[in-house]
């Protein structure tokens, strides 16, 4: 099986500059537009990072004095707004002559091919055709333009006309018609002409929304001791442990080493909890009756809001809690009244407010503030992102036998999630929505993902043929704020790359406009010297295993809470944005990380090669210049450190010419995704635990053993070198240690007698000696070091 060949069009995977027309452009001419009544300069719109999209808005408020049907004696009215081929309908009211709708219709100006706006009022008929009641007609050229932040246009009463428009009929309708942009307040909740095919529950799933992550706390349960624990078998003392549960999280203390009625643990159990606190802390004390059987001897259910919220590392007060007995009373009649003492447990429980609850990888962290709001500092900047459009999206599902994509974009930064509206059946959707975040640390990352909406109420089928109706991933973009210059607008088209079982695939491009505005340069510079996370992470750190487990629980809680919003931000969307599977084994990712390390050492390797060429006199002029510099530094040793720092200063100035002009993006070569083995991809997309056949799993296990064996050898070699250094003075080899300490004594005397400059000069000249004075044999120090013993001899 050959590796998957890299595509020829490598430029498709690169970042591209775009030149969108950002800011306000009003359609009627003049400096800011307007048919005579909008001509003055106004304040800049907050939508200055997106292209203006113009919409015709029709607000239908209510109607009055409607005529009744002579046949039925009632009226079931509804409004139909018609602009060219597009129609929008309100709901109908049964037997009501004064209905109220208060609904807004939005028609994209690009798609309008009519010169009039017609508003029809009809009487719904369940059997025959709906009856015509009256209409109101507006000339498109007379429609006023509204510029936010003007107040909304006041609706007016209009008399209804007959079919021909020659005379007025009974009844009036209250309407407002205006031309605006996506900055209009009516835009998010309006009915859109380009989403006419969406019906039912799908209507709620196409609107843009802003979500807030739940407020997460670490719950620290310090189980100290218990008293008067009795087992069901009175003949033997209990050997117990404590099991604690919060929601789906279950943790246990260690088994008390001795059998006693008053066990002690003094052990911390850490959970993640989210406000509002819906779960409770369920504690059970269980006795290890036999190796295969645990019996519950007591239980306590404690609401989380009763616990203290700690803002620093000061200890909280411990409390005793009574446990409900198990096995007494229910089966043994009135024996429960004979119990003189009740079992109780000693706990120290608090909600940690000085930690930042990690729900994302620290590599791509977007927020580092502690949980407690009173510990937050002032923001140092503002991040503004204009989500402009996507280009060249691939069909993600089939509708009516043809490919379709209903794309929306999700952006996550800090506690704020945003979701654009869904553009229906369009491979080049234009959102042109702008969002703003407060920035508390520049070394943070904003993540944007594009998805295909599979919950619009239609009969969509995934292109892949899968039966699951999950929103499909189209691609992801990450932007680190510290890579951006302040007060500059970045307009780029980012490739949307997805690794699939068939290989790397470009799903399209996402066009963004990004601006990072600095509010306080002094505070930003100050932050570069501060820890990334709050100080409690360093004063009382969690273990690596604890952090992994807590992050997984936090991600689950965030996904569940956001999934309960309306419209919901679905679980598969949240998990993709938070990189829930980043900890899984991947041969491709391991290779990528290995070559990242190799590239790091490439500078050191090239420097050592250059020094080797200097020592071997490959270029005599360079070697002579190095000799001159060496003599100068020996004569004036105080110039060594200034020379080093000055050299780095000039390197920095020289590299300024080659500084990156674009923010970084997903690099296919760095990710080792351009030429990856098909079986390695298949392994990466395998479930956990594996769902493959036994022979495939065996082959992959053997391959993993081979790779791990090489890693094991390298780690062992590194340990061997370190142990040889220890062996210099540890007398593991008495002769070698004797030789070394005698050498140290002689060296100390020589260094004391001889000036340091002479020693350095002789050592430098010896190192730079001509190749004719060099031996091809290893040096004496190298031979001596390699002969030193290591602890590898003691390994089984």
């Amino acid at each position: 099986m050959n590796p998957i060949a890299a595509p020829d069009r490598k430029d498709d995977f690169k970042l591209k500059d775009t030149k969108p027309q950002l800011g306000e452009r009003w359609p009627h001419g003049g400096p800011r537009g307007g048919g005579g009544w909008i001509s003055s300069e106004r304040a800049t719109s907050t939508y200055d990072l997106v292209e203006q999209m113009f919409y015709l808005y029709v607000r239908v408020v209510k109607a009055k004095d409607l005529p009744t049907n002579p046949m039925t004696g009632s009226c079931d009215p509804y409004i139909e707004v018609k602009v060219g081929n597009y129609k929008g309908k309100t709901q109908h009211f049964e037997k009501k002559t004064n209905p109220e709708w208060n609904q807004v219709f939005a028609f994209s100006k690009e798609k309008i091919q009519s010169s009039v706006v017609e508003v029809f009022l009809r009487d719904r008929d369940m059997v025959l055709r709906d009856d015509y009641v009256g209409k109101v007609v507006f000339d498109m050229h007379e429609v006023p333009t509204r510029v936010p932040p003007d107040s909304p246009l006041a609706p007016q009463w209009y008399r209804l006309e007959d079919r021909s428009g020659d005379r007025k009929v009974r009844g009036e309708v209250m309407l407002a018609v205006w031309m605006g942009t996506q900055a209009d307040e009516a835009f998010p909740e309006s009915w859109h002409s380009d989403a006419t095919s969406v019906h039912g529950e799908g209507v709620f799933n196409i609107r843009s929304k802003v979500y807030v992550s739940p407020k997460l706390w670490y719950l620290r349960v310090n189980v100290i001791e218990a008293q008067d624990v009795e087992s069901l078998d009175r003949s033997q003392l209990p050997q117990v442990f404590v099991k604690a549960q919060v929601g789906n999280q279950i943790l246990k203390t260690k088994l008390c080493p001795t059998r006693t009625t008053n066990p002690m643990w003094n052990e911390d159990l850490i959970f993640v909890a989210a406000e509002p606190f819906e779960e409770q802390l369920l504690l059970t004390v269980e006795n290890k009756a036999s190796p295969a059987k645990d019996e519950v001897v007591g239980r306590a259910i404690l609401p989380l809001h009763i616990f203290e919220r700690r803002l620093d590392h000061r200890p909280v007060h411990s409390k005793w809690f009574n446990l409900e007995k198990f096995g007494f009373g229910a089966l043994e009649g009135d024996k429960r009244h004979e119990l003189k003492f009740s079992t109780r447990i000693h706990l120290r429980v608090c909600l940690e407010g000085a930690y930042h609850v990690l729900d994302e990888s620290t590599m791509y962290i977007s927020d580092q503030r502690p949980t407690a709001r009173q510990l937050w500092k002032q923001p140092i900047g503002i991040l503004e992102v204009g989500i402009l459009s996507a280009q060249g999206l691939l069909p993600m599902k089939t509708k009516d036998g043809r490919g379709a994509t209903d794309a929306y974009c999700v952006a996550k930064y800090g506690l704020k999630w945003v979701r654009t509206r869904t553009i229906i059946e369009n491979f080049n959707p234009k959102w042109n929505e702008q969002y703003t975040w407060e920035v508390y640390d520049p070394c943070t990352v904003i993540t944007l993902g594009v998805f295909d909406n599979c919950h619009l109420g239609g009969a969509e089928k995934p292109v892949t043929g899968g039966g699951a109706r999950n929103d499909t991933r189209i691609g992801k973009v990450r932007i680190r704020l510290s890579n951006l210059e302040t007060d500059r607008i970045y307009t780029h088209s980012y490739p949307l790359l997805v690794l699939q079982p068939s290989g790397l695939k470009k799903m399209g491009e996402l066009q963004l406009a990004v601006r990072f505005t600095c509010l306080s340069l002094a505070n930003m510079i100050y932050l570069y010297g501060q820890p990334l996370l709050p100080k409690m992470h360093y004063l009382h750190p969690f273990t690596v295993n604890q952090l992994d487990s807590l992050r997984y629980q936090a991600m689950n809680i965030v996904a569940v809470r956001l999934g309960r919003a309306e419209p919901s931000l679905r679980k598969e969307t949240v998990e993709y944005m938070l990189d829930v599977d980043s900890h899984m084994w991947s041969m491709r990712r391991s290779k990528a990380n290995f070559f990242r390390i190799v590239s790091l050492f490439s500078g050191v390797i090239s420097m050592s090669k250059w020094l080797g060429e200097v020592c071997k006199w490959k270029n005599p002029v360079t070697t002579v210049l190095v000799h001159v510099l060496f003599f100068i530094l020996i004569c004036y040793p105080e110039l060594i450190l200034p020379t080093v720092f000055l050299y780095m200063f000039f390197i920095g100035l020289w590299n300024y010419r080659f500084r990156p002009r674009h923010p970084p993006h997903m690099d296919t070569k760095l990710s080792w995704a351009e030429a990856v083995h098909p079986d390695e991809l298949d392994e990466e997309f395998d479930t956990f635990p594996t769902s493959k056949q036994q022979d495939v799993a065996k082959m992959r296990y053997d391959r993993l053993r081979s790779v791990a064996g090489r890693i094991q050898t390298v780690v062992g070699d590194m340990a061997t070198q370190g142990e040889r250094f220890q062996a210099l003075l540890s007398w593991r080899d008495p002769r070698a240690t004797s030789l070394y300490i005698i050498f140290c004594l002689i060296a100390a005397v020589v260094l004391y007698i001889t000036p340091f400059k002479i020693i350095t000069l002789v050592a430098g000249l010896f190192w730079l000696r001509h190749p004719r004075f060099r031996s091809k044999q290893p040096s004496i120090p190298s031979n001596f070091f390699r002969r030193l013993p290591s602890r590898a001899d003691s390994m089984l």
Side-chain angles (χ1 to χ4, degrees):
M1 299 172 71
N2 296 323
I4 295 173
D8 295 332
R9 299 171 299 167
K10 291 187 177 180
D11 288 341
D12 285 354
F13 295 157
K14 293 184 178 178
L15 204 65
K16 297 176 184 175
D17 257 323
T18 58
K19 302 294 181 184
Q21 294 181 334
L22 305 181
E24 289 187 335
R25 296 174 293 108
W26 291 96
H28 298 310
R32 295 299 288 262
W37 65 292
I38 305 180
S39 56
S40 61
E41 274 303 314
R42 304 183 55 83
T44 306
S45 167
T46 54
Y47 280 70
D48 61 338
L49 287 184
V50 293
E51 295 180 314
Q52 296 287 17
M53 301 174 69
F54 294 100
Y55 290 87
L56 173 70
Y57 291 97
V58 180
R59 181 184 293 277
V60 179
V61 184
K62 55 186 175 180
K64 67 179 181 180
D65 298 332
L66 300 182
T68 57
N69 190 317
M71 299 290 291
T72 61
S74 65
C75 182
D76 301 337
Y78 70 91
I79 293 284
E80 179 184 270
V81 181
K82 183 179 179 183
V83 180
N85 295 327
Y86 295 101
K87 293 180 182 178
K89 295 180 181 179
T90 66
Q91 64 177 2
H92 76 278
F93 291 98
E94 294 185 2
K95 300 178 181 179
K96 198 167 187 179
T97 56
N98 297 302
E100 291 190 16
W101 294 282
N102 198 24
Q103 187 172 347
V104 181
F105 298 86
F107 300 87
S108 175
K109 185 174 182 293
E110 290 182 352
K111 300 179 180 180
I112 294 177
Q113 297 178 346
S114 174
S115 60
V116 294
V117 183
E118 298 173 293
V119 180
F120 297 96
L121 198 147
R122 301 186 188 276
D123 181 10
R124 185 176 177 84
D125 194 323
M126 299 298 292
V127 181
L128 302 174
R129 188 178 180 182
D130 295 346
D131 295 328
Y132 174 88
V133 178
K135 70 176 180 179
V136 180
V137 180
F138 298 90
D139 188 344
M140 286 282 293
H141 299 291
E142 301 298 325
V143 172
T145 302
R146 177 180 172 246
V147 186
D150 273 353
S151 298
L153 195 66
Q156 301 179 38
W157 286 106
Y158 293 91
R159 288 283 300 275
L160 295 174
E161 302 173 350
D162 61 3
R163 288 182 185 276
S164 61
D166 295 336
R167 64 184 182 88
K168 303 293 184 182
V169 297
R170 181 184 169 189
E172 295 181 63
V173 63
M174 181 179 278
L175 303 168
V177 183
W178 72 96
M179 186 69 71
T181 68
Q182 74 269 36
D184 203 291
E185 293 88 346
F187 180 78
E189 300 299 329
S190 60
W191 174 94
H192 287 274
S193 59
D194 55 359
T196 53
S197 61
V198 181
H199 57 274
E201 293 292 327
V203 174
F204 299 102
N205 284 308
I206 65 171
R207 291 174 175 165
S208 58
K209 291 292 178 185
V210 175
Y211 305 83
V212 179
S213 289
K215 189 174 184 180
L216 300 176
W217 295 79
Y218 284 137
L219 176 69
R220 186 186 296 270
V221 181
N222 180 224
V223 184
I224 303 174
E225 59 181 329
Q227 285 186 349
D228 303 322
V229 178
E230 293 184 352
S231 64
L232 299 182
D233 183 4
R234 299 289 185 86
S235 63
Q236 61 178 0
L237 292 173
Q239 188 176 21
V240 297
F241 63 92
V242 177
K243 183 169 76 174
Q245 180 173 356
V246 177
N248 296 325
Q249 308 169 67
I250 300 176
L251 295 175
K252 299 177 183 179
T253 65
K254 294 176 182 175
L255 194 66
C256 186
T258 57
R259 291 185 174 272
T260 174
T261 57
N262 299 317
M264 295 190 68
W265 297 278
N266 196 22
E267 191 171 335
D268 273 355
L269 305 177
I270 311 293
F271 300 90
V272 179
E275 287 189 8
F277 298 125
E278 298 173 351
E279 295 86 6
Q280 295 177 313
L281 174 61
L282 172 61
L283 287 168
T284 55
V285 178
E286 301 187 15
N287 176 34
K288 197 76 173 175
S290 67
K293 182 182 177 183
D294 299 330
E295 58 183 25
V296 178
V297 297
R299 182 180 73 171
I301 300 176
L302 306 172
L304 300 186
H305 62 79
I306 67 172
F307 301 127
E308 182 179 340
R309 303 185 180 200
R310 185 165 72 164
L311 303 183
D312 50 28
H313 59 280
R314 285 177 288 188
V316 297
H317 297 292
S318 59
K319 290 183 181 179
W320 288 93
F321 296 93
N322 292 328
L323 300 179
E324 300 173 10
K325 287 282 188 178
F326 269 69
F328 297 100
L331 300 177
E332 301 183 24
D334 293 330
K335 280 191 176 182
R336 63 183 181 275
H337 300 299
E338 300 174 8
L339 295 173
K340 189 173 182 181
F341 300 104
S342 66
T343 303
R344 58 180 191 161
I345 190 167
H346 194 194
L347 303 174
R348 182 180 287 110
V349 188
C350 67
L351 290 159
E352 298 280 12
Y355 286 91
H356 170 71
V357 181
L358 291 164
D359 60 346
E360 54 195 347
S361 169
T362 50
M363 296 292 179
Y364 319 122
I365 196 167
S366 64
D367 187 22
Q368 75 302 322
R369 291 171 291 173
T371 299
R373 185 176 289 271
Q374 52 265 50
L375 298 179
W376 292 3
K377 297 179 181 178
Q378 291 297 315
I380 54 97
I382 293 174
L383 173 65
E384 297 165 281
V385 177
I387 303 173
L388 303 181
S389 62
Q391 297 292 325
L393 298 183
L394 300 182
M396 305 303 296
K397 55 177 175 278
T398 56
K399 282 186 181 178
D400 303 325
R402 56 188 176 84
T405 298
D406 304 324
Y408 67 91
C409 183
V410 174
K412 196 264 182 190
Y413 183 78
L415 299 177
K416 179 178 172 181
W417 297 67
V418 301
R419 166 178 159 161
T420 67
R421 67 191 187 283
T422 302
I423 306 296
I424 309 298
E425 298 182 24
N426 196 330
F427 299 129
N428 300 297
K430 291 185 178 181
W431 295 288
N432 282 305
E433 297 180 23
Q434 184 170 338
Y435 297 96
T436 304
W437 287 267
E438 289 181 331
V439 177
Y440 292 84
D441 194 311
C443 301
T444 45
V445 177
I446 180 172
T447 305
L448 302 102
V450 182
F451 301 86
D452 174 50
N453 198 329
C454 295
H455 298 82
L456 302 180
E460 307 94 350
K461 293 183 180 179
V463 170
T464 56
R469 285 190 61 202
N470 287 340
D471 287 356
T472 314
R473 308 168 177 180
I474 298 180
K476 185 193 296 181
V477 172
R478 295 192 196 99
I479 302 174
R480 186 172 293 274
L481 271 58
S482 58
N483 292 333
L484 305 178
E485 298 175 14
T486 55
D487 303 313
R488 173 186 166 186
I489 298 178
Y490 289 84
T491 54
H492 293 101
S493 182
Y494 294 80
L496 296 172
L497 306 174
V498 171
L499 200 62
Q500 297 180 342
S502 58
L504 182 68
K505 197 169 186 179
K506 181 180 176 182
M507 312 297 288
E509 296 179 357
L510 177 64
Q511 295 184 354
L512 301 173
V514 183
R515 177 171 59 204
F516 175 38
T517 306
C518 176
L519 298 178
S520 172
L521 182 60
N523 285 346
M524 188 186 296
I525 294 172
Y526 170 76
L527 279 175
Y528 274 89
Q530 299 302 304
L532 181 66
L533 295 170
K535 62 180 181 181
M536 281 293 288
H537 286 267
Y538 308 98
L539 295 177
H540 297 280
F542 297 118
T543 64
V544 175
N545 288 338
Q546 274 183 322
L547 279 177
D548 287 342
S549 172
L550 292 172
R551 179 179 169 239
Y552 181 75
Q553 298 297 340
M555 285 191 294
N556 278 342
I557 291 174
V558 170
V560 169
R561 291 291 178 93
L562 293 179
R564 285 161 48 181
E566 183 61 42
S568 66
L569 201 59
R570 299 185 58 81
K571 185 172 186 285
E572 62 269 18
T573 303
V574 176
E575 288 182 347
Y576 182 56
M577 298 290 287
L578 293 178
D579 291 295
V580 70
D581 54 354
S582 61
H583 65 287
M584 297 298 291
W585 159 261
S586 164
M587 181 71 79
R588 174 193 59 84
R589 201 177 288 125
S590 299
K591 282 183 182 177
N593 288 332
F594 172 76
F595 285 105
R596 284 173 61 198
I597 294 175
V598 169
S599 66
L600 275 181
F601 289 105
S602 63
V604 178
I605 293 170
S606 60
M607 187 68 181
S608 64
K609 285 182 179 178
W610 179 80
L611 288 174
E613 291 177 355
V614 167
C615 295
K616 294 175 182 177
W617 290 71
K618 289 287 182 70
N619 189 339
V621 176
T622 304
T623 307
V624 170
L625 289 176
V626 170
H627 275 82
V628 172
L629 177 63
F630 179 66
F631 274 103
I632 294 173
L633 294 179
I634 290 299
C635 296
Y636 303 98
E638 63 274 8
L639 295 180
I640 295 176
L641 286 178
T643 302
V644 171
F645 285 106
L646 192 64
Y647 183 58
M648 288 192 289
F649 170 76
F650 282 117
I651 290 177
L653 282 184
W654 177 261
N655 287 341
Y656 180 77
R657 298 168 53 201
F658 312 105
R659 70 190 185 280
R661 304 302 173 103
H662 308 311
H665 63 289
M666 299 298 183
D667 192 330
T668 56
K669 187 175 181 180
L670 180 70
S671 306
W672 208 249
E674 289 184 348
V676 58
H677 201 287
D679 185 65
E680 293 174 4
L681 274 180
D682 188 53
E683 180 185 26
E684 187 167 342
F685 285 94
D686 192 9
T687 56
F688 184 82
T690 182
S691 57
K692 295 296 179 182
Q693 296 178 355
Q694 185 174 356
D695 54 343
V696 176
K698 180 178 180 297
M699 181 271 291
R700 290 178 180 168
Y701 173 64
D702 290 339
R703 182 174 62 193
L704 186 60
R705 288 175 63 190
S706 173
V707 173
R710 289 196 290 269
I711 296 173
Q712 171 184 291
T713 302
V714 172
V715 172
D717 289 344
M718 293 170 64
T720 296
Q721 306 309 319
E723 288 166 357
R724 283 173 175 167
F725 272 109
Q726 288 182 335
L728 284 170
L729 296 172
S730 64
W731 293 91
R732 287 174 59 86
D733 182 342
R735 285 161 295 281
T737 304
S738 301
L739 289 172
Y740 184 68
I741 61 173
I742 292 171
F743 168 77
C744 290
L745 177 64
I746 296 172
V749 174
V750 171
L751 290 173
Y752 180 76
I753 296 173
T754 313
F756 182 73
K757 289 182 181 180
I758 302 299
I759 297 291
T760 309
L761 181 62
V762 171
L765 290 175
F766 177 77
W767 182 60
L768 292 170
R769 68 193 184 280
H770 198 274
R772 70 178 61 180
F773 302 114
R774 294 178 183 274
S775 170
K776 292 184 179 181
Q777 298 294 323
S779 63
I780 293 176
S782 174
N783 295 334
F784 180 78
F785 184 76
R786 289 181 182 181
R787 290 176 176 277
L788 290 170
S790 71
R791 303 186 67 186
D793 309 336
S794 304
M795 293 280 292
L796 285 174

